[in-house]
Amino acid sequence: MATARSSRPIPTDSAWSDKLQELLAWFESNPNLPEKIEPIVMLRFLKCVQYDVEKTKPLVELNYSMRNKHAHLFIDRNMEDDMTAKGLRVSDLLILPGLTPEGNKLLFFRMADLDPHTRNSVEETKIFFMMSDARFTMPDVELKVGEWRDLDDSDIADGDVQIIDIGGYTLRHLAYISIFVLRIYMKFLQEAYPSRLRAMHVINCPSYLDRLISMMAPFLREEVRNLVQYHTEGMDSLYKQVPKDMLPEEYGGKAGTIAELKARGIQSIKEKSGYLCDERYWKVTGLSKSRWSWF
């Protein structure tokens, strides 16, 4: 059954609490969904579609259908795995603290090791969704140590803004990108992710940018393509789009060093490892085979 237990109680007088309770009951009775879900995760799905219950249901079903179809990316995960540990070492994937004035969360990615042979699309994708799933069980606002309050939708970001530093990328790096994994990642991000993509900023773009765009284009819906901005002339154009102070110190901001932010993210995964590896939150046992043919 779906759990209604949360470390942050659900208020009974909010405009969305009845809708959330309805969705939790629906989740509990749906054989095509896992056994459990955290209420804050369901609230993210609900907020993502402007609190429309009927639009929330297919979004949730697609999310878990894709997870189970591609369990090697979304379910079979272990922080102690050697390949995952290597993926964490060679990539910097950061969830930056705080929210932008527009209410969005900043996500940052860059290569920590520029050797093309270290690229692993499976592990990089797995780590991204491990960090996202850990994040989704917690508020996006920064709470003080020991601070406690009821579940509140204002504590959840309105959407995500991704910043991707591709400085140092070469055509050899592109050869190590799995098109199959990229296709799954982009489809999940665009159609099944419980947070709206508001913008994607690609910085330190290389001279072969046109080839990179050509490779990505088939996997992006038109409305998502319009959200991607390529910054080719330094950082000033990025500073006009996102608050400079929210960036890592290495990029002119005040959020902390990349090493500090990365350690914080890894610690978050470790603290949530029991949740991330608990199949009751992810695995669907009653999913009919007919529902697997969509992808």
Side-chain angles (χ1 to χ4, degrees):
M1 60 180 291
T3 179
R5 181 182 179 276
S6 173
S7 57
R8 308 179 77 216
I10 302 173
T12 58
D13 58 348
S14 65
W16 47 263
S17 59
D18 288 344
K19 293 181 178 181
L20 179 58
Q21 294 288 7
E22 177 185 344
L23 285 167
L24 291 172
W26 165 80
F27 191 101
E28 176 182 344
S29 63
N30 193 324
N32 293 317
L33 294 172
E35 180 182 344
K36 304 176 73 175
I37 188 172
E38 288 295 318
I40 190 173
V41 176
M42 182 63 84
L43 181 56
R44 288 181 181 277
F45 281 109
L46 180 62
K47 184 172 183 177
C48 185
V49 291
Q50 292 79 48
Y51 303 93
D52 187 318
V53 170
E54 294 310 311
K55 288 183 179 178
T56 304
K57 292 177 181 179
L59 176 63
V60 171
E61 289 184 320
L62 178 57
N63 181 287
Y64 290 101
S65 176
M66 285 196 69
R67 286 181 185 273
N68 282 263
K69 175 66 173 178
H70 307 289
H72 67 297
L73 296 175
F74 298 104
I75 298 179
D76 302 333
R77 46 197 185 184
N78 181 359
M79 277 292 292
E80 304 304 319
D81 180 77
D82 289 342
M83 293 300 292
T84 298
K86 180 180 178 181
L88 286 166
R89 287 195 304 271
V90 302
S91 300
D92 292 329
L93 175 59
L94 314 175
I95 298 175
L96 300 179
L99 296 175
T100 69
E102 298 78 22
N104 297 320
K105 196 70 171 173
L106 296 183
L107 311 180
F108 176 91
F109 174 80
R110 75 170 187 179
M111 293 186 300
D113 188 330
L114 296 180
D115 182 352
H117 294 91
T118 65
R119 311 321 312 157
N120 186 317
S121 296
V122 169
E123 292 304 324
E124 290 169 3
T125 301
K126 183 183 295 187
I127 290 168
F128 172 79
F129 288 116
M130 286 175 67
M131 285 196 169
S132 295
D133 287 337
R135 164 203 162 192
F136 288 154
T137 66
M138 301 176 286
D140 287 319
V141 298
E142 297 296 300
L143 300 179
K144 298 178 181 177
V145 176
E147 184 177 355
W148 185 274
R149 62 192 191 207
D150 289 354
L151 185 62
D152 192 327
D153 66 334
S154 64
D155 293 344
I156 296 174
D158 288 333
D160 288 355
V161 173
Q162 295 192 3
I163 303 170
I164 305 170
D165 183 355
I166 58 174
Y169 265 66
T170 67
L171 292 176
R172 291 182 63 198
H173 288 93
L174 294 184
Y176 285 88
I177 294 176
S178 167
I179 298 300
F180 177 71
V181 173
L182 178 62
R183 179 174 174 237
I184 297 169
Y185 170 81
M186 293 309 305
K187 187 172 185 67
F188 191 89
L189 192 66
Q190 294 174 93
E191 300 181 20
Y193 194 62
S195 186
R196 299 176 68 87
L197 182 63
R198 298 298 187 183
M200 181 181 292
H201 298 280
V202 185
I203 62 175
N204 293 322
C205 298
S207 59
Y208 61 89
L209 179 61
D210 57 334
R211 299 190 191 185
L212 179 63
I213 295 174
S214 296
M215 186 184 73
M216 294 288 292
F219 307 106
L220 299 177
R221 299 197 311 245
E222 181 179 359
E223 59 267 34
V224 175
R225 284 200 299 271
N226 293 335
L227 297 176
V228 182
Q229 300 184 45
Y230 299 94
H231 300 269
T232 58
E233 302 292 336
M235 298 290 292
D236 288 343
S237 57
L238 177 67
Y239 297 153
K240 295 177 181 179
Q241 301 294 323
V242 301
K244 181 179 178 180
D245 287 353
M246 293 184 66
L247 298 175
E249 292 179 9
E250 291 85 345
Y251 292 80
K254 300 179 180 179
T257 66
I258 286 179
E260 293 168 344
L261 295 165
K262 184 174 182 177
R264 177 178 175 178
I266 293 174
Q267 182 61 31
S268 174
I269 293 179
K270 290 181 177 179
E271 291 175 353
K272 293 289 183 178
S273 60
Y275 166 75
L276 294 172
C277 296
D278 188 342
E279 291 188 347
R280 294 175 298 173
Y281 286 99
W282 316 109
K283 196 171 184 62
V284 175
T285 58
L287 193 61
S288 63
K289 291 184 179 179
S290 63
R291 291 183 57 83
W292 292 67
S293 60
W294 68 273
F295 184 68

